[in-house]
Amino acid sequence: SITLPSDTFTGQFHVFSIIWDEQRIQWLADDRKYFEKDISPAEFDAFRSPFFFIINLAVGGNWPGPPDASTQFPQRLVVDYIRVFQKS
């Protein structure tokens, strides 16, 4: 897990990155790695197939929990860009 200096994801833009190759996937927030998964075993073959992006603004769930009186609505998910680099 990571903690942002402002302790929140609201109020400013953040850069979320995925570095994905044949051996591992790394997840980063503002250039800080917060998780890595080894995908070299055969049971992860699906991660060596073509993929597409789904972007979702979800409210509730296990984290941070169901909406309550303190939940601010409406919410917005602002995406400045998505960029994909591929090895040649």
Side-chain angles (χ1 to χ4, degrees), residues 50-66:
F51 272 78
F52 57 92
F53 292 101
I54 297 175
I55 300 174
N56 179 34
L57 172 61
V59 177
N62 292 336
W63 181 86

Side-chain angles (χ1 to χ4, degrees), residues 19-30:
I19 301 174
W20 184 343
D21 62 26
E22 298 82 11
Q23 301 298 314
R24 71 187 60 82
I25 303 174
Q26 299 176 56
W27 287 263
L28 300 92
D30 295 333

Side-chain angles (χ1 to χ4, degrees), residues 2-65:
I2 61 166
T3 302
L4 297 174
S6 63
D7 201 29
T8 180
F9 280 103
T10 64
Q12 55 187 321
F13 280 97
H14 297 280
V15 176
F16 297 94
S17 307
I18 298 173
I19 301 174
W20 184 343
D21 62 26
E22 298 82 11
Q23 301 298 314
R24 71 187 60 82
I25 303 174
Q26 299 176 56
W27 287 263
L28 300 92
D30 295 333
D31 294 325
R32 293 172 47 205
K33 183 171 67 173
Y34 64 90
F35 191 72
E36 180 173 319
K37 182 68 179 174
D38 177 8
I39 60 167
S40 59
E43 66 257 26
F44 294 102
D45 281 346
F47 290 97
R48 288 179 280 284
S49 298
F51 272 78
F52 57 92
F53 292 101
I54 297 175
I55 300 174
N56 179 34
L57 172 61
V59 177
N62 292 336
W63 181 86

